[in-house]
Amino acid sequence: MFDRRLVTNLDWVFVGLILLTASIGIINLYSATSGWDSSTPPLYIKQCMWLGVGLLVMSAVSMLDYRHLLQLGPGAYAACTGILIAVFTLGETNMGATRWLDIGLFNLQPSEIMKPVIVVVLAHYFSRHERQDGHSLRELIVPGILLTIPTILVIKQPDLGTGMMLLFIGATMSLFAGIRPKTLVFISSACVALAAGGWFLLHEYQRARIRTFLNPEQDPLGSGYHIIQSKIAIGSGGFWGNGFMQGSQSQLAFLPERHTDFVFSVFAEEWGMFGALILISLYILIVFRGILVARKAANNFGMYLTIGATGIIFWHAIVNLSMVMGLLPVVGVPLPLFSYGGTNMVTTMVASGIILNVSMRRFMF
Amino acid sequence: MPLHAPLPDDEHRKRAFEWLLFSVAIFFLLITARLWYLQVIKADHFELLAQKNRTRYITIAAPRGVIFDRNGEILVGNRPSFSVSILRQDVTDKAALIKNIAEILTCDVEEIEKNWEKYKYFPQYLPIPLKNGITREHVERLSENSMYLPGMIIETRPVRNYPCGSAGAHIFGYVGLISAEELARKPSNSNYRAGDFVGKGGLEKHLNSTLRGNDGQLMVEVDVKGKLLRQRVKHHPTPGQNLVLTLDKNLQECAQRELDGMAGAAVVLDVSTGQILALASSPTYDPDIFTDGISTSAWSELLNNPRAPLQNRAIGGQYPPGSTFKPVIALLAASHPEISQAQIPIMCEGKTKIGNRDFRCWKRTGHGSTDLIKAMRESCDVWFYNMSMRFGIDRIATMSRNLGLGRGYKLPLDSEQGGLIPDRAWKHSHLNESWYLGETAITGIGQGYVLTTPLQLALMTATIANGGTLYRPHILKNVSAHTGDKNTETKTEVLRHSTIPAGAIAQVKASLEAVVHDPRGTGTACRIEELRIAGKTGTAQVIRLADEDEKGISKEEIAYRHRDHALFIAYAPADNPEIATAVIVEHGEHASKTAIPVTRALLLEYFNLEKPDTTANK
């Protein structure tokens, strides 16, 4: 199965971008968690470990010819949905949410696995149903159902962030595949109606988050606290930043969750807009590189697969950045390659692996 | 495989990619714009908020101004109060810490735990006080063991110190935590905050803004967990201004001591300035019990004590003056011989008939032929009944007011009362009745409607003693950050220049001297070898209590409550007066047994003569 050409065709630029971003992320974690006495080994060391695990996962995903994913798709989807249902009934309650399934070695978050799986099944569907003039509503029923089942299960867990991610990724792929103008208008209005109705299905804390997002100052010590402190951290960084390890918001621990969801705020406070622009440029390069790979993919399946995988990275980055800057409610979406955590690292690396996979095999027919 | 369908690289696909790139670019542009807004446009705003985040302010209590007596003796000072507190961020083992501290302080673990719970809501960087007002001995033992008590700190704050003990507690008042109501009453721009200590009574309350000084501020840098990171003094506390009082510490303590065990009051005035040298009220209380917060039981005991220890009787107690009112009538009589016909003695047969009612003299057998001197000396009621009726109530009222009765003097003290000098207009407006002749007679012996405070009686005595000039009585000599600053000295204020003929004054003064020095006088018990004293005894009838008020009260208490009040006013030296006194002992019955010994002790103390030999009078 191994082919020497694969190494020569490996997208070293993409790998370089991933490694560079992850390295900056680890340096930033060092600062974000400085002064934490409790955990041994320190989190930045653990993140190095997770990066190693991530690189292995990326290699593994890129090695296996993506065309085999076609066969794996439906089974993985069924299994994942089954696990989601299982989690829903048996899952361990962690911080009030049943997202985790203890499978011995580590806790598995099945909703995370669902992200690449949904990409595979949707790519499968769209590559088989190519439409020059865009998809009609009837043709969107199947991908719609494929997307809706896991999304609802995830949101019910409740994990609004991951549910949103699934929805955004699916929507991106569908829009890219093409939707008839009339159908698009219909779906959009249906979505607005659903959103209005969905408000009442949300958990109270989720509603509070949205309310807080709309007006964080109404509850500055409660749920609005995170976003206010995050904005103060970012804003006080100014253009040139306060310097590495010099962010008072971060170092004085005013920033909550500053090693996970709000890790960008630490970076922006210490490195300023100057550093933040460099980081954002890295994400832009990663995403554009992914789109380029899709453009050059050997077949439709590879193209849709890459669009979806790039979408995973793109949407995580955009939603996390918007969230910490107060453009979106705080929904708990990590920043790829930057936030601490194995799950986030593995998900990102799976997506990267898919992109590399398609890229390496762009000359094969 | 069908899935490997060739990429239809047409115009449509190209457009899809263009749209994709465009959308991605828009999203990132949006993020960048937001970043620009936060980090460039609003950078200063957020920098300010970040700075505010880092700092907290802690009040450093300013010591209150010291209160001195006229000779520079400290009446109310400051001392450090120690409390054992806990800085939670440094605590490693809470249970062990509580146990060890309780052991050293020899108190219950529960008590310490209760305080810990009580102040748990305090921000993390503020220490929790576990026990206030601990002894120096405990401080030493805790300090020695501080290595084994991580998180324990000893805090000090300045609290009041009372070198005179309970003497003058009514004047000084006490200090306590500002209450929610008091805080609400302060104007919004005042610098009072919750947790401040304020004067709760007496000078501490009325001159609180002078005494309190300005608290300092400690700037503390903390993190979100509340851990203290750095601190520096933003501004140092400025102590409050000192007060110098007109009081004489020794005289004040003497008055308090002599009144001990009795209910009553004693006032000593400087006759030529109106300065208050002593102002004692009994029973008193120990102001120190308020220092570290008074317990509910101690407080309710003070409030429910039937002898009302919190009341300042010297200025707030209103009593019928009894015979101590007679100098007012005597002055009228001596000033207006054309009306009084005082040169003609009056026959006292133990009673006199007014209308169809007999008005009795205290001496049932009568005084016989009585002139002004004898009337005063032996306190002949009949002479004063007659003399009062010759002048009428309105002239009596005018003379009373000229001598300082019937009004307040705006002392910076609690619940000063104005007393009551009745006249026709008063009776008409308050009781809607006309004035009766009998009431004039009764007023002449200080009974009926007339009410006076001990301060007013002392003032009346001082006014007679100095020849008729009414000075404003005052207690504040000097307010100053630096003791002895002349600029802030309280000026002596003349409220009324004398209009009483010197001859009349001399006549009355001679009669008052006879009260003490004539063997037939009622105040001979006051005699002191080296000192000429003028005085007047008084007995004020107590209005009989209603029966229902006496339920559940012991027989002794009932007997006590039915006894008359004993009064004595005096000035000395008689020929060149320096001080005037007024003493009232509630239910003291005979002045010679109660009010006079107190007065005598005060005179001995002031003139620095032999120590009072009270046994001779008992």
Side-chain angles (χ1 to χ4, degrees):
Chain A
M1 184 183 119
F2 187 76
D3 191 330
R4 255 180 58 91
R5 284 177 304 172
L6 292 178
V7 180
T8 47
N9 285 335
L10 184 69
D11 192 341
W12 288 107
V13 174
F14 187 81
V15 173
L17 287 171
I18 295 289
L19 281 176
L20 185 58
T21 311
S23 306
I24 297 173
I26 286 166
I27 292 169
N28 188 53
L29 266 181
Y30 175 81
S31 173
T33 61
S34 75
W36 289 20
D37 42 17
S38 52
S39 64
T40 48
L43 284 185
Y44 69 97
I45 297 286
K46 278 168 123 176
Q47 182 75 346
C48 286
M49 203 186 78
W50 282 121
L51 179 59
V53 171
L55 289 172
L56 283 176
V57 169
M58 185 175 78
S59 311
V61 171
S62 59
M63 286 305 140
L64 178 77
D65 191 327
Y66 66 86
R67 284 167 293 194
H68 296 295
L69 291 175
L70 263 185
Q71 284 99 49
L72 289 175
Y77 181 84
C80 240
T81 309
I83 295 173
L84 275 177
I85 293 168
V87 162
F88 194 65
T89 47
L90 316 166
E92 212 174 281
T93 295
N94 190 316
M95 312 264 290
T98 49
R99 299 172 192 176
W100 305 82
L101 196 68
D102 198 340
I103 57 157
L105 274 175
F106 56 94
N107 287 332
L108 187 72
Q109 219 174 334
S111 55
E112 281 300 314
I113 305 170
M114 202 64 205
K115 289 172 187 168
V117 169
I118 199 87
V119 166
V120 171
V121 294
L122 288 181
H124 188 168
Y125 179 84
F126 286 123
S127 62
R128 289 225 276 192
H129 299 81
E130 195 61 27
R131 285 289 178 277
Q132 292 279 343
D133 51 347
H135 295 276
S136 68
L137 190 61
R138 195 140 54 100
E139 286 157 344
L140 286 174
I141 286 175
V142 174
I145 289 171
L146 286 176
L147 187 59
T148 312
I149 292 169
T151 301
I152 287 175
L153 282 171
V154 168
I155 289 180
K156 273 280 166 189
Q157 275 183 349
D159 184 353
L160 195 59
T162 307
M164 254 173 70
M165 284 296 107
L166 290 177
L167 213 62
F168 284 3
I169 293 160
T172 307
M173 292 177 74
S174 309
L175 278 167
F176 181 74
I179 297 175
R180 287 181 188 167
K182 261 163 78 187
T183 311
L184 191 60
V185 169
F186 175 78
I187 292 174
S188 307
S189 22
C191 281
V192 171
L194 265 177
W199 175 257
F200 299 100
L201 293 174
L202 287 178
H203 277 253
E204 183 49 42
Y205 90 93
Q206 291 169 325
R207 263 184 257 172
R209 274 185 183 179
I210 293 169
R211 261 191 242 111
T212 303
F213 158 69
L214 295 173
N215 184 15
E217 274 76 15
Q218 80 180 10
D219 186 14
L221 289 176
S223 40
Y225 180 80
H226 290 199
I227 193 62
I228 290 173
Q229 295 302 333
S230 172
K231 276 159 76 178
I232 291 173
I234 297 171
S236 66
F239 191 82
W240 296 107
N242 295 336
F244 183 54
M245 308 275 292
Q246 301 298 314
S248 70
Q249 283 289 107
S250 320
Q251 302 300 330
L252 289 183
F254 279 100
L255 263 180
E257 302 288 329
R258 62 188 186 283
H259 61 303
T260 56
D261 287 358
F262 288 92
V263 79
F264 175 79
S265 313
V266 175
F267 187 76
E269 184 184 21
E270 301 195 340
W271 299 95
M273 184 157 180
F274 177 74
L277 282 179
I278 291 176
L279 182 65
I280 289 173
S281 304
L282 286 172
Y283 285 112
I284 292 176
L285 288 174
I286 290 169
V287 170
F288 277 26
R289 195 77 190 169
I291 293 171
L292 192 70
V293 169
R295 187 82 176 96
K296 291 184 174 169
N299 51 54
N300 275 352
F301 178 61
M303 180 184 69
Y304 283 115
L305 205 56
T306 312
I307 294 295
T310 308
I312 291 175
I313 298 175
F314 171 78
W315 282 118
H316 274 87
I318 288 294
V319 170
N320 177 275
L321 292 174
S322 308
M323 190 177 92
V324 301
M325 286 191 239
L327 289 173
L328 275 183
V330 177
V331 286
V333 171
L335 186 59
L337 305 168
F338 232 68
S339 294
Y340 172 80
T343 308
N344 171 37
M345 183 63 88
V346 169
T347 306
T348 309
M349 287 310 195
V350 167
S352 304
I354 289 171
I355 294 167
L356 283 176
N357 195 331
V358 176
S359 164
M360 286 190 297
R361 294 174 175 83
R362 63 185 180 275
F363 303 117
M364 298 175 188
F365 287 95
Chain B
M1 285 194 282
L3 301 180
H4 294 183
L7 201 71
D9 199 32
D10 51 14
E11 202 52 29
H12 161 74
R13 178 62 23 100
K14 207 177 141 205
R15 282 250 298 285
F17 270 105
E18 276 167 7
W19 269 108
L20 192 62
L21 285 172
F22 178 72
S23 313
V24 166
I26 289 288
F27 273 107
F28 277 114
L29 213 64
L30 216 68
I31 294 290
T32 309
R34 178 65 171 176
L35 211 55
W36 175 263
Y37 173 77
L38 291 178
Q39 294 198 294
V40 176
I41 296 175
K42 299 285 262 184
D44 293 342
H45 167 71
F46 285 118
E47 176 52 38
L48 217 70
L49 290 181
Q51 240 165 48
K52 245 174 77 183
N53 259 345
R54 295 193 290 265
T55 44
R56 303 286 149 84
Y57 297 94
I58 297 177
T59 302
I60 314 170
R64 290 176 75 85
V66 175
I67 302 177
F68 294 99
D69 88 336
R70 60 191 299 113
N71 303 313
E73 299 275 339
I74 293 178
L75 296 170
V76 181
N78 294 305
R79 64 173 171 86
S81 167
F82 301 98
S83 59
V84 54
S85 303
I86 288 301
L87 209 50
R88 279 161 290 176
Q89 66 189 64
D90 296 336
V91 173
T92 47
D93 185 349
K94 182 179 166 183
L97 183 66
I98 290 178
K99 192 179 143 276
N100 289 335
I101 289 176
E103 205 168 284
I104 291 175
L105 296 178
T106 54
C107 64
D108 288 340
V109 169
E110 289 79 49
E111 190 193 334
I112 303 268
E113 272 173 348
K114 224 175 74 189
N115 275 335
W116 193 313
E117 281 301 305
K118 192 166 141 197
Y119 296 109
K120 225 167 66 180
Y121 69 92
F122 270 28
Q124 278 280 343
Y125 61 92
L126 281 184
I128 291 182
L130 292 186
K131 199 169 163 68
N132 286 328
I134 58 172
T135 62
R136 273 177 192 278
E137 201 177 305
H138 282 148
V139 170
E140 274 165 30
R141 285 208 55 201
L142 285 167
S143 307
E144 281 165 17
N145 293 296
S146 61
M147 269 182 70
Y148 314 105
L149 301 167
M152 186 275 306
I153 54 168
I154 304 284
E155 286 189 297
T156 55
R157 76 179 163 91
V159 296
R160 279 312 204 188
N161 181 34
Y162 303 96
C164 314
S166 57
H170 299 101
I171 301 171
F172 313 135
Y174 57 93
V175 173
L177 268 177
I178 192 165
S179 68
E181 302 90 75
E182 283 171 318
L183 201 57
R185 256 180 304 176
K186 300 281 180 195
S188 55
N189 58 352
S190 71
N191 55 346
Y192 288 92
R193 281 180 307 272
D196 279 355
F197 281 84
V198 292
K200 294 280 191 176
L203 292 169
E204 296 273 28
K205 177 181 174 184
H206 292 265
L207 297 172
N208 185 56
S209 55
T210 308
L211 285 166
R212 80 189 282 249
N214 284 316
D215 287 343
Q217 226 173 27
L218 194 63
M219 220 169 79
V220 173
E221 210 168 306
V222 293
D223 66 8
V224 73
K225 293 245 169 64
K227 284 198 180 186
L228 192 149
L229 298 169
R230 276 175 287 275
Q231 62 177 50
R232 72 182 175 86
V233 176
K234 198 178 172 221
H235 45 254
H236 290 275
T238 2
Q241 295 195 67
N242 296 335
L243 300 182
V244 181
L245 303 187
T246 59
L247 289 185
D248 181 312
K249 181 173 179 246
N250 294 333
L251 211 56
Q252 178 71 27
E253 282 177 331
C254 172
Q256 199 70 60
R257 193 171 54 236
E258 292 299 322
L259 283 172
D260 192 36
M262 303 185 281
V267 179
V268 182
L269 285 180
D270 182 314
V271 299
S272 51
T273 56
Q275 290 181 356
I276 297 170
L277 300 175
L279 190 84
S281 177
S282 184
T284 183
Y285 60 92
D286 180 4
D288 203 40
I289 58 172
F290 292 97
T291 302
D292 291 305
I294 186 169
S295 68
T296 321
S297 60
W299 177 240
S300 68
E301 202 182 299
L302 275 180
L303 282 182
N304 298 327
N305 187 321
R307 300 281 189 276
L310 291 173
Q311 195 203 359
N312 187 353
R313 289 168 161 80
I315 58 166
Q318 303 187 99
Y319 304 92
S323 297
T324 59
F325 190 72
K326 287 174 179 170
V328 177
I329 309 298
L331 267 179
L332 269 178
S335 308
H336 305 284
E338 73 282 1
I339 300 170
S340 66
Q341 303 296 316
Q343 61 277 20
I344 305 164
I346 291 171
M347 196 60 194
C348 170
E349 289 167 334
K351 61 184 179 189
T352 187
K353 211 175 188 77
I354 302 167
N356 50 12
R357 238 189 96 193
D358 277 343
F359 282 66
R360 294 187 171 277
C361 184
W362 68 270
K363 194 173 180 185
R364 294 292 142 94
T365 53
H367 289 93
S369 173
T370 306
D371 63 357
L372 188 150
I373 297 280
K374 183 182 177 189
M376 186 68 82
R377 185 181 70 209
E378 292 164 40
S379 204
C380 174
D381 291 338
V382 167
W383 193 87
F384 284 98
Y385 290 144
N386 282 291
M387 212 47 77
S388 302
M389 290 186 287
R390 288 176 195 177
F391 283 93
I393 188 63
D394 287 344
R395 296 187 84 146
I396 294 173
T398 304
M399 179 54 90
S400 303
R401 292 188 187 112
N402 289 351
L403 294 172
L405 301 181
R407 59 166 285 191
Y409 294 94
K410 293 195 175 72
L411 287 167
L413 302 174
D414 298 322
S415 51
E416 183 189 355
Q417 297 296 325
L420 175 62
I421 296 301
D423 56 17
R424 284 175 203 280
W426 171 83
K427 198 179 177 201
H428 185 75
S429 67
H430 283 79
L431 303 174
N432 202 23
E433 279 178 31
S434 51
W435 189 268
Y436 301 112
L437 192 61
E439 292 171 336
T440 306
I442 276 292
T443 306
I445 62 159
Q447 298 286 355
Y449 300 115
V450 61
L451 289 174
T452 56
T453 67
L455 175 75
Q456 288 170 342
L457 287 179
L459 186 63
M460 176 193 82
T461 313
T463 306
I464 295 168
N466 71 30
T469 307
L470 181 64
Y471 292 97
R472 179 183 288 280
H474 56 280
I475 196 161
L476 209 59
K477 194 159 182 272
N478 205 331
V479 180
S480 171
H482 310 285
T483 315
D485 194 339
K486 289 280 174 209
N487 298 334
T488 51
E489 190 119 7
T490 309
K491 302 267 188 303
T492 298
E493 187 189 342
V494 176
L495 291 172
R496 192 189 155 81
H497 289 284
S498 178
T499 52
I500 307 165
I505 290 268
Q507 207 182 339
V508 173
K509 283 170 85 168
S511 73
L512 291 170
E513 208 175 327
V515 169
V516 178
H517 291 284
D518 190 295
R520 292 160 292 181
T522 53
T524 51
C526 196
R527 263 189 232 171
I528 295 170
E529 196 74 36
E530 306 91 331
L531 192 67
R532 294 292 288 180
I533 299 162
K536 179 73 196 83
T537 54
T539 307
Q541 272 172 24
V542 175
I543 293 137
R544 190 174 281 273
L545 293 161
D547 284 343
E548 53 265 37
D549 285 348
E550 296 184 352
K551 277 183 188 143
I553 298 172
S554 68
K555 276 215 172 76
E556 296 95 84
E557 180 68 16
I558 292 170
Y560 169 83
R561 288 189 184 188
H562 282 243
R563 284 205 290 268
D564 292 341
H565 295 327
L567 298 97
F568 191 67
I569 58 170
Y571 64 85
D575 46 353
N576 183 23
E578 289 177 32
I579 61 165
T581 65
V583 174
I584 176 156
V585 175
E586 288 181 12
H587 313 292
E589 250 180 341
H590 300 295
S592 57
K593 273 200 208 158
T594 50
I596 289 180
V598 174
T599 307
R600 192 167 179 275
L602 287 169
L603 293 172
L604 287 171
E605 175 67 41
Y606 180 83
F607 291 102
N608 207 11
L609 300 167
E610 48 151 321
K611 284 295 140 199
D613 181 16
T614 44
T615 49
N617 304 309
K618 281 189 177 165

